Amino acid sequence: MPALPAFARYVVIGAGIHGLSTAMHLAQKLKAKGVSVGEGRGRIVVLDKTGPGAGASGIACGVVRNNYFQPAMRELMAHSVSVWESDPDAYSYHPVGYMQISPEVMHAQVGTIYEQQQAIGYESVFIEGEAESRQYMQGIFHDWQAQNITSVLHEKRGGYANNQASVQGLVNKARALGVEIVAGVAVTGFRSGNGTGAIAAVETTQGPIECEEVVVAVGPWVNSIWNMLDLPKAISVTGRDGKVHDGVRMWHYMALQEGTLGVDPNYQKTNSGLMPPVIHVDTDAPLFSDRDGRLITDALWGIYYKPDFHFGGVQGGAMPAVVERDPDDVRVDPYGPKSPEFVVTDNFADMWTSALAFCQKRFEGKHGVYKQEPSGGVGSFTPDNFPVFDRFRDNVYVIADSNHGYKMIGVGELVADELLGTPRTLLEPFRFSRYAQGRLHPVSHSPFPWS
Ligand SMILES: Cc1cc2nc3c(=O)[nH]c(=O)nc-3n(C[C@H](O)[C@H](O)[C@H](O)COP(=O)(O)OP(=O)(O)OC[C@H]3O[C@@H](n4cnc5c(N)ncnc54)[C@H](O)[C@@H]3O)c2cc1C
């Protein structure tokens, strides 16, 4: 890895999906303008305290979908899906499609998603009715048996990508364009310019690096960098009721619950012998344990899963667990499966394997092959659980995806344009000012905070 330079025009903090995508697209765009990348005003340096893929991007399940109830999210995802599709090999992207399988309480809302997908030219099929949904699903999986399902949205685009491989794909592309990626350097603070709020230098464990622009793309560590930038720990949010709610925490944490069933990934093939779409099921049917028959829940619940050779089985997850703690007290390090507290428990394994058996007969009695290894990871969320993409302190661009942004590989392309002075309308609905102005995204009936 190269040594830390004394100056870079752009310092990108974090070598995850967003930092790397931003750096790569910035390099591409500078080159197109005739700027020599790697020197002077074309110098782009990505710093990571550990290395590429050390954060959420490196452990993500990797699901890529359009299915969002919020129109602005859908348009943003359609843009990102086209970036995944632009080089599936380099990004290790599997365009198998995605299915949102829902109960009646979500039927109408998912119907609007389908209508708007048609309006933006995003290919999908919408099946309505209990018998019709079962027939459609059994046409794909003969053993489909999920209950209380009255609609199926089948997105023909999207699918999933392999987490570390896609990060490496971005590293290769960025390096080939002249981006420097420096691992093992932690950002510890910021130095302001003379009498302005703008950042003149980034302080690191290997000394300062002067810069003109800073990009913050640190995923679950955003609270610590936010504090270093002296940005507000609590904000005022104008709610949907028109009332101003003061003192709302800027960041809160949830623990993502994921795991792998240790079967041959081919076990989950479709009736026609193909790799299936990613499956996401929400339902209000009661869920009973496949182990001992006990009632697990009779409230709305959901899971997602896909066969994945990289994880070595059928991999997926369920709703995240809220971390009821002040963000300053959340120990993000050691991250992911190495965390002593934010890995899944046996309760998750029971719930998720039972839910698999609820959906498909082939998973009945398979809880014993659930991989008993640490999995999951903590994520940081904004007040409304949707991303913030905005400038702070004049020259600091924060990319905070509210922990559902592995799929948002295209955000870096949009941010690169904004860094070069061209505003992108797809990012407008994600400005920080929406909280004060009450321009919040609509909320769906899904049991997940990111749908
Ligand atoms: C278990 C799990 C499953 C997920 N599944 C999906 C999914 O299926 N689909 C989806 O779209 N999203 C998913 N997500 C969310 C997604 O992974 C994240 O939203 C996304 O990867 C965040 O990317 P990032 O580039 O912002 O941050 P990260 O990938 O977390 O990268 C941040 C980097 O910043 C570095 N860093 C932190 N602090 C400093 C510092 N002070 N100095 C220098 N470097 C620093 C870290 O070392 C890290 O490498 C999942 C998340 C988790 C935890």
Side-chain angles (χ1 to χ4, degrees):
M1 292 281 180
L4 192 69
F7 168 82
R9 181 172 174 197
Y10 301 97
V11 172
V12 179
I13 311 171
I17 207 94
H18 295 307
L20 292 168
S21 173
T22 302
M24 178 197 86
H25 285 102
L26 194 51
Q28 268 175 358
K29 289 173 195 287
L30 284 169
K31 228 168 197 153
K33 287 176 187 283
V35 177
S36 173
V37 177
E39 50 194 69
R41 294 185 49 77
R43 196 154 194 187
I44 307 167
V45 172
V46 181
L47 304 178
D48 199 290
K49 69 191 181 74
T50 309
S57 307
I59 60 167
C61 170
V63 174
V64 176
R65 65 182 159 104
N66 182 271
N67 173 47
Y68 275 96
F69 181 58
Q70 302 69 29
M73 289 294 279
R74 272 199 302 278
E75 291 189 30
L76 190 65
M77 295 321 138
H79 170 268
S80 277
V81 169
S82 60
V83 175
W84 287 109
E85 289 169 344
S86 70
D87 197 344
D89 289 342
Y91 298 137
S92 201
Y93 171 59
H94 306 273
V96 290
Y98 174 89
M99 299 182 94
Q100 167 67 49
I101 300 157
S102 314
E104 191 52 24
V105 67
M106 292 171 63
H107 183 160
Q109 289 191 338
V110 180
T112 66
I113 297 175
Y114 168 70
E115 280 163 21
Q116 287 154 12
Q117 284 178 341
Q118 303 316 295
I120 62 170
Y122 195 87
E123 194 192 350
S124 61
V125 171
F126 191 48
I127 309 297
E128 295 174 88
E130 193 157 4
E132 292 82 351
S133 297
R134 188 177 312 111
Q135 191 185 11
Y136 188 81
M137 291 309 299
Q138 288 180 344
I140 298 172
F141 302 115
H142 59 82
D143 62 338
W144 186 261
Q145 57 186 16
Q147 299 294 309
N148 291 18
I149 300 300
T150 61
S151 72
V152 176
L153 176 68
H154 186 170
E155 299 182 356
K156 297 302 176 103
R157 294 169 68 191
Y160 71 100
N162 299 117
N163 47 35
Q164 292 286 352
S166 54
V167 167
Q168 195 52 48
L170 284 170
V171 166
N172 297 343
K173 280 175 184 270
R175 284 223 173 99
L177 286 160
V179 172
E180 291 156 78
I181 301 170
V182 190
V185 177
V187 169
T188 53
F190 297 92
R191 194 183 330 131
S192 310
N194 283 346
T196 75
I199 300 303
V202 175
E203 311 275 5
T204 81
T205 45
Q206 287 186 22
I209 171 167
E210 290 185 12
C211 59
E212 290 182 13
E213 304 261 7
V214 180
V215 177
V216 175
V218 292
W221 290 268
V222 65
N223 178 58
S224 68
I225 297 282
W226 188 262
N227 288 344
M228 288 179 207
L229 287 164
D230 288 326
L231 294 169
K233 285 179 186 288
I235 62 168
S236 297
V237 177
T238 304
R240 290 178 187 81
D241 53 4
K243 293 194 183 117
V244 178
H245 303 262
D246 293 321
V248 178
R249 274 183 195 163
M250 184 56 209
W251 305 108
H252 60 279
Y253 282 85
M254 294 193 213
L256 281 282
Q257 316 261 332
E258 293 197 346
T260 304
L261 194 72
V263 291
D264 180 339
N266 291 305
Y267 192 67
Q268 166 63 2
K269 277 189 170 163
T270 66
N271 297 346
S272 14
L274 299 175
M275 277 301 167
V278 174
I279 302 294
H280 182 117
V281 181
D282 296 311
T283 182
D284 47 15
L287 179 63
F288 296 95
S289 170
D290 189 45
R291 267 187 216 166
D292 55 22
R294 135 196 95 80
L295 176 70
I296 293 176
T297 181
D298 55 5
L300 188 65
W301 57 270
I303 60 159
Y304 48 94
Y305 59 100
K306 44 134 163 89
D308 192 321
F309 288 92
H310 162 79
F311 280 100
V314 169
Q315 190 267 351
M319 295 92 72
V322 177
V323 178
E324 296 283 4
R325 213 177 294 173
D326 185 287
D328 290 345
D329 297 331
V330 175
R331 283 175 40 209
V332 180
D333 286 303
Y335 188 66
K338 297 193 192 97
S339 166
E341 44 181 346
F342 299 123
V343 288
V344 299
T345 63
D346 191 50
N347 282 346
F348 165 78
D350 189 24
M351 182 271 166
W352 188 69
T353 56
S354 302
L356 288 176
F358 170 96
C359 294
Q360 292 186 248
K361 196 166 182 57
R362 72 190 73 181
F363 295 120
E364 285 181 2
K366 289 281 175 208
H367 48 82
V369 296
Y370 176 82
K371 288 193 176 184
Q372 297 289 348
E373 57 194 13
S375 59
V378 78
S380 62
F381 290 74
T382 62
D384 60 354
N385 297 329
F386 291 103
V388 168
F389 305 127
D390 212 344
R391 258 178 210 283
F392 298 85
R393 302 279 303 255
D394 298 346
N395 64 344
V396 179
Y397 202 112
V398 175
I399 303 175
D401 67 14
S402 202
N403 196 76
H404 34 121
Y406 171 84
K407 65 182 79 61
M408 302 179 205
I409 195 172
V411 163
E413 191 272 327
L414 303 167
V415 170
D417 262 351
E418 297 211 323
L419 290 169
L420 295 172
T422 307
R424 297 291 301 259
T425 47
L426 286 177
L427 297 179
E428 275 309 315
F430 302 99
R431 304 303 186 204
F432 180 65
S433 58
R434 75 173 183 271
Y435 297 118
Q437 293 168 357
R439 289 182 295 108
L440 302 181
H441 295 276
V443 174
S444 79
H445 294 312
S446 161
F448 287 79
W450 52 67
S451 282

